[in-house]
Amino acid sequence: MISFERRAVPSRVMAFATPCLAVLATMLAGGLMFALLGKDPVAAIRVIFWEPLFGEFAFYYRPQLLVKAAPLVLIATGLALGFRAGIWNIGAEGQYIMGALCGAAVGLALYPAETRWIFPLMVLCGALGGFLWAMIPALLRVRFDTNEILVSLMLVYVAERLLSAMALGALRNPEGRGFPGSRNLSQWDASANPELIAGTGMHWGVVAALIAVIFAYVLLERHVLGFHIRLSGEAPKAARFAGVVPGRLVVLCLGISGALAGLAGIFEVTGPAGQITIGFNTGYGFTAIIVAFLGRLHPVGILLAGLLMALTYIGGEIAQSQLGLPGAAISMFQGMLLFFLLAVDVLTHFRLKFGRSEATPALRTEAAE
Amino acid sequence: MDLSAINPVLLVASLIVAATPLLFAALGELVVERAGVLNLGVEGMMITGAICGFIVGVESGSAYLGFLGAAAGGALLSLIFGVLTQYLLSNQVATGLALTLFGLGLSALLGQGYQGVKGPTPARLDIPVLSDLPVVGRIVFGHDLMVYAGLALVVAVWWLLTRSRAGLILRAVGENHDAAHALGYKVVRVRLAAIAFGGACAGIGGAYLSLVRVPQWTEGMTGGAGWIALAIVVFAAWKPWRALLGAWLFGGVTVLQLNLQAAGIALPVEYLSMSPYLVTILVLVLMSSGRAPGSLGRIFHKTG
């Protein structure tokens, strides 16, 4: 009989080991899936994880790594703050869209002015757009005790509809011969979010992501606010006694994550994506949830997890073109990673015990540790 | 805009059809939540059911076998959630989200080659005299069997929860799992059964979309129906009868919005199609008065 026994203190070793374990398990299960699809599993795994970094065309793929990781890290860092406090913002995809829309709208309103001040203004408005969109679930939760999970998610669908309405209507390029989509923002000097160091993929979004990671780390580890966030998640009752106002925390966590998602959106639309189109959002807001958990809700972990997830995106694209692996297989691969992660996470808080469980001796060994 | 183009009889008839997938999914989730488990993977199970049902339907040529396949697919997927949350004690919110993400990928993978294929549709009921009655005939007697199965399920779930011993145990597990455990009930087993039931129901709801309502397979075709079903459970205050009401309300909004589009209302389609989601939010704001089961979403770990 195998059973679990709660550890007195979460294991530090396991906290580092479990994500690696999950990645390994996903590679095995993913390989099995690729084999079932009639592809060589070893070759597929090699293409996904090796080719983008060290393959023949790595000089082209390596910069992509930062381009793809930046929005994931930016969004996931914000989400993790809320997840730690038990506040579930799963509508980051919507906040990402609204950030891009608000920022782009402000920029396009000033077209064709030629001043470099437009870009910072757009970034500010992007963050504000995401922030305000996140305030809807936040304020509804505080005022009416409405479930923020459902509201934030519903708003993703609303934002997607608004995105297509804008791409077809108000923000459509007047010189685009009637095609949907806005003017190209990355080709207009005043609004472009260019590659800062040639050949690295480094753009302002990457800089923002790094700053966000450092900011979140300091907040969580060194600031009383971070302590309150962690306390609310781990011991809600104790948090009340410590003077934490739950409503304020909801507004704060949703606000920060919304603003960061909005930032990711505006950096994307002015840089890699270039313009507002109907299919502008590609699911970064949802993948960021996986990134947040893969990084164990820790800023530094999220940084690494974002890079890994970006790798599977790029590797997945290569596998699609080289091996004809269906795109859906890659999103399943990412979904599997989250499952395995959640499955092995039990080892951090519990230890495996073989044989019949007895409560008292276990307590003694836990105390001795 | 020409409002006279909207036929009220057809509107009500199609409302009932539009509500059916939501009803199945919401009833399933309602039972799961009454057992104290919050499964946010309804969307993933629904879309998996949609493609499983469609594949089985196309390959076998029978829509009803398709629904059976959908129930099996949904239940199997939900058991991943069951094992993770009940045995490996993972966080239910995170695992439910994972289930949705995984289900969306899985369905897209399974559905390759089924895009644009025509599936079998279940025949509409045709009772000689009754179905020919002017208004009532179309609204009450003019549907396929699954619509009536959905209504029967409302009664069955109500009976199970309030009138049977099994329902009493299920509610005990949901209200206070430690007390239920102390009384000797198998908390984990009851919950796994509830989770599988919820998965099967969500699967059937999804298959109703791909086999009857749309009827074809497209990627991501559930478009948030699973999340609306979750909202209906809150709206229903965890009571089956009110879930029926909620499903009709959302079915009504969806159908009305489609009818207004067809009637040529002077509002872009994008804004009209926001309405079901906005109504969901509105309803959640107005109806957050119900009391959730006591142990909802909490992890049960048997000690000693």
Side-chain angles (χ1 to χ4, degrees):
Chain A
M1 189 61 194
I2 305 171
S3 57
F4 290 114
E5 225 169 57
R6 187 174 281 281
R7 295 176 194 269
V9 182
S11 159
R12 283 196 75 92
V13 177
M14 278 300 166
F16 288 104
T18 46
C20 305
L21 212 62
V23 170
L24 270 178
T26 311
M27 282 192 187
L28 285 177
L32 193 70
M33 175 179 74
F34 298 144
L36 286 176
L37 289 167
K39 313 286 177 209
D40 178 5
V42 180
I45 298 288
R46 211 193 83 93
V47 165
I48 295 174
F49 289 97
W50 182 266
E51 203 76 2
L53 292 176
F54 310 107
E56 195 183 342
F57 299 103
F59 65 89
Y60 173 75
Y61 295 123
R62 271 188 221 143
Q64 285 293 313
L65 206 60
L66 286 184
V67 170
K68 292 253 193 294
L72 289 174
V73 172
L74 207 48
I75 300 172
T77 308
L79 292 183
L81 289 181
F83 290 177
R84 280 220 165 173
I87 297 158
W88 300 93
N89 172 14
I90 58 171
E93 185 82 357
Q95 292 137 22
Y96 171 83
I97 294 175
M98 292 313 285
L101 276 182
C102 289
V106 169
L108 289 169
L110 297 170
Y111 186 87
E114 279 301 337
T115 156
R116 241 345 235 175
W117 284 107
I118 290 177
F119 181 66
L121 182 69
M122 287 169 75
V123 170
L124 208 65
C125 291
L128 193 68
F131 173 81
L132 290 177
W133 203 243
M135 275 304 105
I136 302 173
L139 295 179
L140 289 182
R141 154 112 189 235
V142 172
R143 180 72 185 77
F144 300 103
D145 202 23
T146 313
N147 184 320
E148 83 279 11
I149 299 176
L150 291 172
V151 174
S152 64
L153 194 97
M154 285 296 135
L155 287 171
V156 174
Y157 293 99
V158 176
E160 279 178 348
R161 301 301 186 280
L162 199 64
L163 173 69
S164 28
M166 287 299 139
L168 292 166
L171 296 185
R172 184 162 68 181
N173 183 359
E175 291 152 27
R177 297 197 206 87
F179 282 105
S182 72
R183 284 181 199 279
N184 195 312
L185 293 165
S186 63
Q187 288 168 8
W188 173 31
D189 283 338
S191 73
N193 172 21
E195 200 175 19
L196 296 175
I197 306 167
T200 57
M202 181 98 161
H203 63 72
W204 284 110
V206 181
V207 178
L210 289 174
I211 294 173
V213 166
I214 296 167
F215 171 80
Y217 180 83
V218 173
L219 181 77
L220 281 172
E221 304 291 328
R222 295 281 175 271
H223 196 275
V224 66
L225 208 58
F227 173 69
H228 283 170
I229 288 175
R230 280 159 42 200
L231 193 61
S232 304
E234 284 158 31
K237 275 188 189 141
R240 293 275 177 112
F241 286 117
V244 178
V245 184
R248 209 176 293 161
L249 212 59
V250 169
V251 170
L252 189 90
C253 287
L254 275 162
I256 293 178
S257 56
L260 288 180
L263 276 180
I266 187 63
F267 286 127
E268 191 71 13
V269 77
T270 50
Q275 59 174 157
I276 294 280
T277 50
I278 294 176
F280 162 71
N281 60 314
T282 47
Y284 282 136
F286 292 115
T287 314
I289 297 173
I290 305 182
V291 172
F293 280 104
L294 184 60
R296 302 204 56 89
L297 306 183
H298 189 283
V300 179
I302 287 170
L303 188 64
L304 298 174
L307 287 168
L308 180 71
M309 198 56 83
L311 189 66
T312 65
Y313 262 120
I314 300 161
E317 276 169 24
I318 305 175
Q320 262 186 68
S321 62
Q322 281 189 8
L323 304 173
L325 205 67
I330 300 302
S331 57
M332 240 185 93
F333 193 75
Q334 294 173 342
M336 257 190 243
L337 180 59
L338 186 48
F339 271 143
F340 280 116
L341 208 68
L342 293 165
V344 293
D345 206 31
V346 69
L347 296 173
T348 335
H349 296 280
F350 294 84
R351 76 161 60 81
L352 270 178
K353 191 170 184 321
F354 301 93
R356 290 197 59 81
S357 56
E358 285 165 66
T360 5
L363 274 177
R364 223 171 282 144
T365 47
E366 265 173 2
E369 255 181 0
Chain B
M1 186 172 72
D2 184 15
L3 279 179
S4 62
I6 298 175
N7 178 343
V9 174
L10 280 180
L11 190 75
V12 175
S14 50
L15 174 162
I16 293 172
V17 170
T20 300
L22 295 174
L23 182 62
F24 272 106
L27 281 175
E29 179 66 14
L30 191 143
V31 171
V32 177
E33 291 193 14
R34 276 313 260 289
V37 178
L38 180 66
N39 184 355
L40 291 180
V42 184
E43 178 84 0
M45 301 187 296
M46 251 184 125
I47 193 124
T48 305
I51 188 56
C52 288
F54 195 75
I55 291 175
V56 174
V58 167
E59 299 302 333
S60 70
S62 155
Y64 292 107
L65 276 180
F67 285 113
L68 220 59
L76 270 178
L77 191 70
S78 73
L79 283 178
I80 299 181
F81 173 88
V83 169
L84 282 173
T85 56
Q86 300 309 306
Y87 289 118
L88 298 174
L89 312 173
S90 67
N91 178 305
Q92 292 180 8
V93 173
T95 314
L97 286 175
L99 197 67
T100 289
L101 295 174
F102 182 78
L104 288 171
L106 177 69
S107 63
L109 193 63
L110 290 174
Q112 290 183 330
Y114 284 93
Q115 305 236 16
V117 177
K118 205 184 153 345
T121 40
R124 260 201 231 144
L125 208 60
D126 192 16
I127 309 167
V129 181
L130 291 176
S131 297
D132 298 329
L133 288 173
V135 173
V136 185
R138 183 70 191 84
I139 294 178
V140 182
F141 301 106
H143 301 289
D144 56 89
L145 278 179
M146 294 313 287
V147 171
Y148 304 106
L151 296 175
L153 194 64
V154 178
V155 182
V157 167
W158 168 78
W159 185 85
L160 175 93
L161 287 176
T162 58
R163 294 288 181 273
S164 75
R165 189 176 154 71
L168 198 63
I169 296 172
L170 185 119
R171 275 158 48 207
V173 165
E175 284 301 333
N176 188 333
H177 50 214
D178 293 320
H181 174 63
L183 285 171
Y185 297 125
K186 305 284 183 210
V187 174
V188 170
R189 223 172 284 171
V190 170
R191 287 189 167 165
L192 278 178
I195 290 168
F197 175 78
C201 286
I204 292 174
Y208 196 83
L209 283 173
S210 63
L211 287 173
V212 184
R213 178 131 161 71
V214 177
Q216 58 173 345
W217 163 253
T218 42
E219 261 180 46
M221 66 180 298
T222 42
W227 295 103
I228 293 183
L230 277 161
I232 289 176
V233 178
V234 178
F235 165 84
W238 293 271
K239 293 189 179 74
W241 293 106
R242 289 183 55 175
L244 178 64
L245 206 68
W248 278 349
L249 172 71
F250 285 104
V253 172
T254 313
V255 169
L256 189 66
Q257 157 295 97
L258 288 173
N259 271 283
L260 286 175
Q261 279 182 30
I265 190 173
L267 197 65
V269 180
E270 290 81 20
Y271 294 104
L272 268 179
S273 56
M274 282 176 195
S275 53
Y277 309 109
L278 291 175
V279 169
T280 308
I281 295 174
L282 189 72
V283 159
L284 283 172
V285 169
L286 296 176
M287 307 297 286
S288 39
S289 56
R291 201 189 64 84
S295 292
L296 186 62
R298 279 174 43 211
I299 294 173
F300 172 70
H301 179 233
K302 178 170 69 171
T303 45

